[in-house]
Amino acid sequence: MNKRSVETVLTPPPPKMVGDGFKVHNFFPNGHRLGLRRMSPFFLLDYNAQMVVPPADIPRGVGVHPHRGFETVTIACKGSVAHHDSAGHQGTIREGEVQWMTAGAGILHKEYHEEHFAKTGGLFQMAQLWVNLPAAHKMTRPGYQLLGDDRIIRRHLPGEAGTVRVIAGSFEGSRGPASTFTPVELYDVMLRKNRAIDFHLPQRYNTGILLMEGSLLVGEEQLVPADHFILFDNDGDFLSVAAASEDTHFLVLSGEPIDEPVVAYGPFLMNTQEEIRQALDDYNHGGFGYLE
């Protein structure tokens, strides 16, 4: 069994506010400059570490903004997030649930604390990924997948060692509900203290772990604390980790790289500068629809 080694452990970069509702650590591409392709097809990872949100009469969040050329994947760990977009999609995700939005050819959307959560306040924790689209699908029709708790597949580990929730891809024969344009594996894992787990992931897939609670032993018994990101080398087909002296919660993200040029500009992720200019022109002339 050829096990992956740890390439590096990324510390949480200084937090920044996204809108007035999300205080995030941007692990990549800006917080730690891994290069635009190092975690392809994942382009961005924003992580709102656990915090207490005070009550508010007006929900905090991010106002109307555009996207083109990729997908946003938002995972609510604590608290709840609501969504509206210019294609007519809307929904709310609560603890453990996922919203998977395909911006494709262009969309306007807004995300904010769900109304009841905003009024009561409480613990909040979330992660958001930007998943690149290949050139053949960058101008696909916008779409939206609301992955509620009842849709996400669970695999219970032997000996009550924990649970793997399969959001996308497959784990030990169980396939997750998310539809993807390129091969993506996304798991939400709860691992009991002093227990271990192995994942079989193709060597060519770029792979990392976002550790949200507890601590993990990786590589040669390296102990990684919560709120860190573990980047694995592409040197094996098996990934092995173990929970240390406390129960541990983490996300596994792994995917087949997209071997194409990447040109990013703000909320647009395309293949050429000309496509970026076209996206700006389309947005400025109302081509992304309308949203209040």
Side-chain angles (χ1 to χ4, degrees), residues 106-120:
I107 201 167
L108 305 177
H109 82 140
K110 57 183 179 180
E111 297 169 290
Y112 47 93
H113 300 159
E114 179 270 332
E115 185 176 3
H116 177 72
F117 175 75
K119 289 185 180 300
T120 60

Side-chain angles (χ1 to χ4, degrees), residues 44-120:
L44 173 146
L45 171 58
D46 274 345
Y47 170 56
N48 194 133
Q50 192 170 137
M51 60 182 286
V52 176
V53 173
D57 292 330
I58 300 175
R60 302 177 180 91
V62 185
V64 177
H65 58 284
H67 289 305
R68 172 179 279 184
F70 62 97
E71 301 183 286
T72 66
V73 181
T74 305
I75 302 163
C77 304
K78 305 286 185 185
S80 54
V81 178
H83 164 99
H84 280 80
D85 67 43
S86 57
H89 308 118
Q90 58 181 310
T92 297
I93 53 171
R94 295 174 173 83
E95 185 169 338
E97 299 184 327
V98 178
Q99 60 185 23
W100 196 299
M101 184 190 78
T102 303
I107 201 167
L108 305 177
H109 82 140
K110 57 183 179 180
E111 297 169 290
Y112 47 93
H113 300 159
E114 179 270 332
E115 185 176 3
H116 177 72
F117 175 75
K119 289 185 180 300
T120 60

Side-chain angles (χ1 to χ4, degrees), residues 4-265:
R4 286 178 181 253
S5 56
V6 175
E7 180 173 320
T8 188
V9 174
L10 305 180
T11 58
K16 64 175 184 178
M17 291 302 299
V18 177
D20 63 359
F22 308 114
K23 185 179 181 181
V24 304
H25 304 281
N26 175 249
F27 278 99
F28 55 85
N30 297 319
H32 292 274
R33 298 186 180 278
L34 301 178
L36 296 181
R37 299 188 186 185
R38 180 60 190 91
M39 272 302 294
S40 176
F42 309 101
F43 177 77
L44 173 146
L45 171 58
D46 274 345
Y47 170 56
N48 194 133
Q50 192 170 137
M51 60 182 286
V52 176
V53 173
D57 292 330
I58 300 175
R60 302 177 180 91
V62 185
V64 177
H65 58 284
H67 289 305
R68 172 179 279 184
F70 62 97
E71 301 183 286
T72 66
V73 181
T74 305
I75 302 163
C77 304
K78 305 286 185 185
S80 54
V81 178
H83 164 99
H84 280 80
D85 67 43
S86 57
H89 308 118
Q90 58 181 310
T92 297
I93 53 171
R94 295 174 173 83
E95 185 169 338
E97 299 184 327
V98 178
Q99 60 185 23
W100 196 299
M101 184 190 78
T102 303
I107 201 167
L108 305 177
H109 82 140
K110 57 183 179 180
E111 297 169 290
Y112 47 93
H113 300 159
E114 179 270 332
E115 185 176 3
H116 177 72
F117 175 75
K119 289 185 180 300
T120 60
L123 286 177
F124 186 78
Q125 185 183 33
M126 62 148 280
Q128 185 173 90
L129 294 163
W130 288 11
V131 183
N132 194 14
L133 289 171
H137 297 291
K138 281 197 176 292
M139 297 299 287
T140 196
R141 182 178 179 179
Y144 183 72
Q145 302 174 71
L146 182 61
L147 307 178
D149 184 63
D150 59 339
R151 293 192 59 199
I152 297 176
I153 304 301
R154 287 173 170 78
R155 281 301 300 263
H156 297 285
L157 302 176
E160 299 184 348
T163 305
V164 177
R165 301 172 68 246
V166 187
I167 298 168
S170 63
F171 175 77
E172 295 185 351
S174 295
R175 178 158 292 277
S179 175
T180 65
F181 286 84
T182 60
V184 169
E185 306 289 327
L186 182 58
Y187 314 141
D188 181 4
V189 184
M190 295 292 298
L191 190 61
R192 299 297 183 193
K193 64 181 181 180
N194 303 317
R195 299 299 186 96
I197 187 171
D198 293 333
F199 300 96
H200 182 205
L201 300 163
Q203 182 172 329
R204 69 184 182 279
Y205 283 21
N206 292 327
T207 300
I209 283 178
L210 175 63
L211 181 52
M212 295 179 291
E213 291 184 51
S215 55
L216 280 177
L217 290 167
V218 297
E220 298 299 322
E221 299 301 307
Q222 180 178 2
L223 184 65
V224 180
D227 299 335
H228 285 58
F229 183 83
I230 309 165
L231 177 64
F232 291 89
D233 209 339
N234 296 73
D235 58 355
D237 291 327
F238 285 87
L239 185 156
S240 299
V241 298
S245 58
E246 53 191 327
D247 293 348
T248 302
H249 181 204
F250 57 95
L251 295 178
V252 176
L253 43 151
S254 183
E256 185 174 63
I258 298 173
D259 188 20
E260 295 175 353
V262 176
V263 180
Y265 182 84

